[in-house]
Amino acid sequence: QKSIDDLIESLEKGKEKFLLTDEGDIDKFLGIELKHNKDGSFEMTQPNLTERIIKLLGLERENNKWKSSANSRATPSEQIILHRDSEGAERNATWNYRTAVGMLTYLQ
């Protein structure tokens, strides 16, 4: 605690003379929810970003059932190598791959 108090004092009384205010305990900051556990540790979650990713990929559940064609598996990918099906139907994806990957990079 002393080092935090020293930092605050140096910010307020340093050459920049920052004006700091105590806004109470922090539980949400920039989309991240912070929970202070009894053992002194912190837990950080990003429920809003997680929900946006789930909706973007069409992975919502309704009444404990998948809303889309998504289903869970013990192994998330196939064991065999998949090759391009040049005679098959066009890819029918309504979500933006780049957006999904970009959102996943911010998920901690």
Side-chain angles (χ1 to χ4, degrees):
Q1 181 65 35
K2 182 170 176 14
S3 61
I4 294 173
D5 292 337
D6 291 342
L7 173 63
I8 292 171
E9 184 177 340
S10 70
L11 290 171
E12 290 176 334
K13 296 183 178 172
K15 66 179 183 177
E16 291 90 2
K17 304 254 187 271
F18 288 104
L19 177 61
L20 302 176
T21 58
D22 185 354
E23 311 239 346
D25 287 339
I26 184 169
D27 63 343
K28 293 183 178 116
F29 183 72
L30 297 177
I32 299 172
E33 291 187 10
L34 302 166
K35 179 182 172 189
H36 192 182
N37 297 321
K38 290 180 181 179
D39 65 359
S41 65
F42 286 92
E43 183 178 330
M44 296 179 5
T45 59
Q46 294 176 283
N48 294 328
L49 179 57
T50 304
E51 186 65 31
R52 285 180 58 204
I53 293 169
I54 288 170
K55 284 182 181 177
L56 174 70
L57 299 177
L59 300 175
E60 300 104 321
R61 291 180 69 114
E62 191 173 275
N63 298 325
N64 210 22
K65 293 187 179 188
W66 294 108
K67 233 174 134 175
S68 67
S69 62
N71 54 27
S72 62
R73 296 182 180 173
T75 304
S77 64
E78 294 292 331
Q79 297 292 324
I80 59 172
I81 297 174
L82 299 176
H83 299 284
R84 179 181 172 93
D85 184 3
S86 58
E87 297 176 18
E90 286 291 317
R91 183 175 78 111
N92 184 16
T94 58
W95 54 276
N96 186 321
Y97 175 81
R98 288 183 180 179
T99 300
V101 170
M103 292 167 81
L104 287 167
T105 61
Y106 285 100
L107 191 59
Q108 296 291 322

